[in-house]
Amino acid sequence: MAAGLNSARSMAHDDLTRAQPLDIERPSELLAYLRRSGYIAAGEEPRIRVLAGGVSNRTVMVERGSDEAWVIKQALAKLRVAVEWFSDPLRIHREALGLRLLARLAPPGSITPFVFEDHEHHLFAMAAVPQPHENWKSMLLAGQIEHDHVRQFGQLLGTIHRRAWEERAALDPTLEDRAIFESLRLEPYYAYTAGQVAPAQAFLTGLIARTRVRRLTLVHGDYSPKNVLVHGGRLVLLDHEVIHIGDPAFDLGFSLTHLLSKAHHLHQYRRAFAQAVQTYWSSYLGALGEAPFAAGLEQHAVANTLGCLLARVAGRSPLEYLSEDERARQRAAVLALMAEPPDSVSALTERFLVLIER
Ligand SMILES: Nc1ncnc2c1ncn2[C@@H]1O[C@H](COP(=O)(O)OP(=O)(O)O)[C@@H](O)[C@H]1O
Ligand SMILES: [Mg+2]
């Protein structure tokens, strides 16, 4: 009788444990999950380490011995930023789809191989980038601006845009859905900023409208040095949850903003970053080749760069390394440029640098 009660109690306890959502940042929970699901053997004792830095996901390293390591990502419903910002955890499956697709389209070695995906717990696993590696954003902020890294950054994006355009008829139709791009990019970057900065409202509203109708090729949506690791001199791209079919000019504006904002912040490396912008743009164009949307792309890239330069000082996700003074100066510079947008990436760079010069 007593034994029966106990086992009833422990069953109820098990049900309760199962009903709790899995949190992969709790190592014992993750270990039990990996064993229960058969992804690792019952007796295996991998080393589990929570990775810092992500704002929209839980990211955990699972080292399975000397030759194999995985990174498991699980989506958060509420993003880790100062303002309230929510996004559907189902986006993790968009990232897994993007990962598999990019592994086919991008230059060899630039995308981490896919390992497994779990729709119940909203997570997926990919191969870890081997050690030693460095985050490219950290390298750039430390003044390590290497021509070959910048060249690869342009070539990687140009290759993705071109290859996806070539294969557009065969792309997964899910990628036409842009809800994640709307909620993680158009609203927090462009629409929110339009509401905050009245003189930019017309420019940003026009930019949103054009972005929505330009459905040209695969857009990464988070093409930032922060999402690039450098291993053995080669760039590896991460973080594909915003991937969709849309306007390639968005990726250009988003990424050029990182180079120009670093030119702004790191006074002593200003010229090196200006040179990096030119290297990036020309290697991008070289890899893009003859895609028909290449004509006119520069003008849209400039407009997105202006939109992102402003969004990163006045939107929901400001660049953490810019001081209050730098934010104010960048905002004034962008408003001056929006009044009369430059017609090329190089003109934009030169005028931006003049406007922020102390
Ligand atoms: N495959 C991987 N190999 C090694 N480190 C990784 C890998 N994926 C992610 N990371 C580390 O975790 C961090 C956050 O990952 P990321 O995919 O950018 O998540 P988030 O969507 O939260 O920004 C990265 O900057 C990187 O340091
Ligand atoms: Mg990231």
Side-chain angles (χ1 to χ4, degrees), residues 133-141 143-157 223 225 228-236 259 273 275-277 279-281 283-284:
H133 62 243
E134 270 189 272
N135 187 284
W136 195 38
K137 175 188 176 182
S138 309
M139 296 175 79
L140 291 175
L141 284 176
Q144 294 177 50
I145 308 144
E146 294 197 21
H147 176 85
D148 191 56
H149 296 162
V150 177
R151 183 195 61 73
Q152 287 180 54
F153 194 52
Q155 189 197 17
L156 177 52
L157 187 67
Y223 202 69
V228 169
L229 299 179
V230 182
H231 168 66
R234 306 296 303 169
L235 267 51
V236 182
L259 297 177
F273 277 108
Q275 181 55 51
V277 168
T279 303
Y280 174 57
W281 178 239
S283 73
Y284 170 82

Side-chain angles (χ1 to χ4, degrees), residues 56-230:
S56 61
N57 295 284
R58 299 184 175 118
T59 313
V60 178
M61 175 78 74
V62 177
E63 285 162 318
R64 305 187 60 204
S66 56
D67 55 344
E68 197 173 0
W70 297 338
V71 167
I72 303 186
K73 275 187 84 168
Q74 184 179 42
L76 289 167
K78 183 181 182 304
L79 275 50
R80 293 159 171 163
V81 289
V83 291
E84 294 276 294
W85 183 358
F86 296 88
S87 183
D88 188 344
L90 287 177
R91 68 187 188 280
I92 200 75
H93 305 298
R94 172 64 67 91
E95 173 158 8
L97 172 71
L99 181 78
R100 291 188 295 262
L101 178 59
L102 290 173
R104 216 158 45 69
L105 300 177
S110 60
I111 303 294
T112 57
F114 172 82
V115 181
F116 66 81
E117 180 174 15
D118 176 344
H119 284 264
E120 189 189 337
H121 296 100
H122 302 316
L123 59 83
F124 78 94
M126 66 188 130
V129 177
Q131 292 287 358
H133 62 243
E134 270 189 272
N135 187 284
W136 195 38
K137 175 188 176 182
S138 309
M139 296 175 79
L140 291 175
L141 284 176
Q144 294 177 50
I145 308 144
E146 294 197 21
H147 176 85
D148 191 56
H149 296 162
V150 177
R151 183 195 61 73
Q152 287 180 54
F153 194 52
Q155 189 197 17
L156 177 52
L157 187 67
T159 305
I160 293 169
H161 287 172
R162 175 179 55 81
R163 295 272 292 111
W165 181 80
E166 286 165 357
E167 296 201 11
R168 64 201 176 286
L171 294 181
D172 190 315
T174 320
L175 295 161
E176 294 282 356
D177 175 82
R178 290 137 54 98
I180 301 170
F181 178 64
E182 287 278 343
S183 73
L184 289 182
R185 294 291 174 267
L186 288 186
E187 192 287 324
Y189 284 71
Y190 293 167
Y192 178 84
T193 306
Q196 298 290 309
V197 186
Q201 194 168 13
F203 185 96
L204 290 170
T205 308
L207 182 58
I208 293 169
R210 289 195 302 281
T211 306
R212 284 189 176 136
V213 296
R214 287 170 49 84
R215 302 185 172 202
L216 301 167
T217 190
L218 206 57
V219 176
H220 184 267
D222 206 356
Y223 202 69
S224 151
K226 187 178 174 183
N227 288 327
V228 169
L229 299 179
V230 182

Side-chain angles (χ1 to χ4, degrees), residues 166-345:
E166 286 165 357
E167 296 201 11
R168 64 201 176 286
L171 294 181
D172 190 315
T174 320
L175 295 161
E176 294 282 356
D177 175 82
R178 290 137 54 98
I180 301 170
F181 178 64
E182 287 278 343
S183 73
L184 289 182
R185 294 291 174 267
L186 288 186
E187 192 287 324
Y189 284 71
Y190 293 167
Y192 178 84
T193 306
Q196 298 290 309
V197 186
Q201 194 168 13
F203 185 96
L204 290 170
T205 308
L207 182 58
I208 293 169
R210 289 195 302 281
T211 306
R212 284 189 176 136
V213 296
R214 287 170 49 84
R215 302 185 172 202
L216 301 167
T217 190
L218 206 57
V219 176
H220 184 267
D222 206 356
Y223 202 69
S224 151
K226 187 178 174 183
N227 288 327
V228 169
L229 299 179
V230 182
H231 168 66
R234 306 296 303 169
L235 267 51
V236 182
L237 176 64
L238 305 170
D239 214 355
H240 322 296
E241 68 188 355
V242 195
I243 200 164
H244 64 280
I245 293 168
D247 187 355
F250 182 83
D251 279 339
L252 289 163
F254 192 82
S255 48
L256 284 166
T257 289
H258 287 286
L259 297 177
L260 289 170
S261 298
K262 287 175 183 66
H264 182 183
H265 179 61
L266 298 173
H267 198 262
Q268 71 275 38
Y269 299 115
R270 223 163 246 186
R271 274 291 131 202
F273 277 108
Q275 181 55 51
V277 168
Q278 295 316 309
T279 303
Y280 174 57
W281 178 239
S282 61
S283 73
Y284 170 82
L285 287 179
L288 186 66
E290 303 287 296
F293 59 79
L297 185 61
E298 188 161 11
Q299 177 208 336
H300 292 286
V302 167
N304 277 277
T305 310
L306 293 175
C308 287
L309 279 168
L310 185 62
R312 292 330 285 262
V313 296
R316 283 193 203 275
S317 182
L319 286 170
E320 81 297 344
Y321 56 77
L322 294 178
S323 67
E324 281 306 317
D325 278 359
E326 287 167 339
R327 286 180 197 189
R329 197 178 309 117
Q330 184 150 317
R331 178 186 156 117
V334 173
L335 289 176
L337 290 166
M338 280 178 172
E340 206 185 323
D343 58 7
S344 68
V345 169

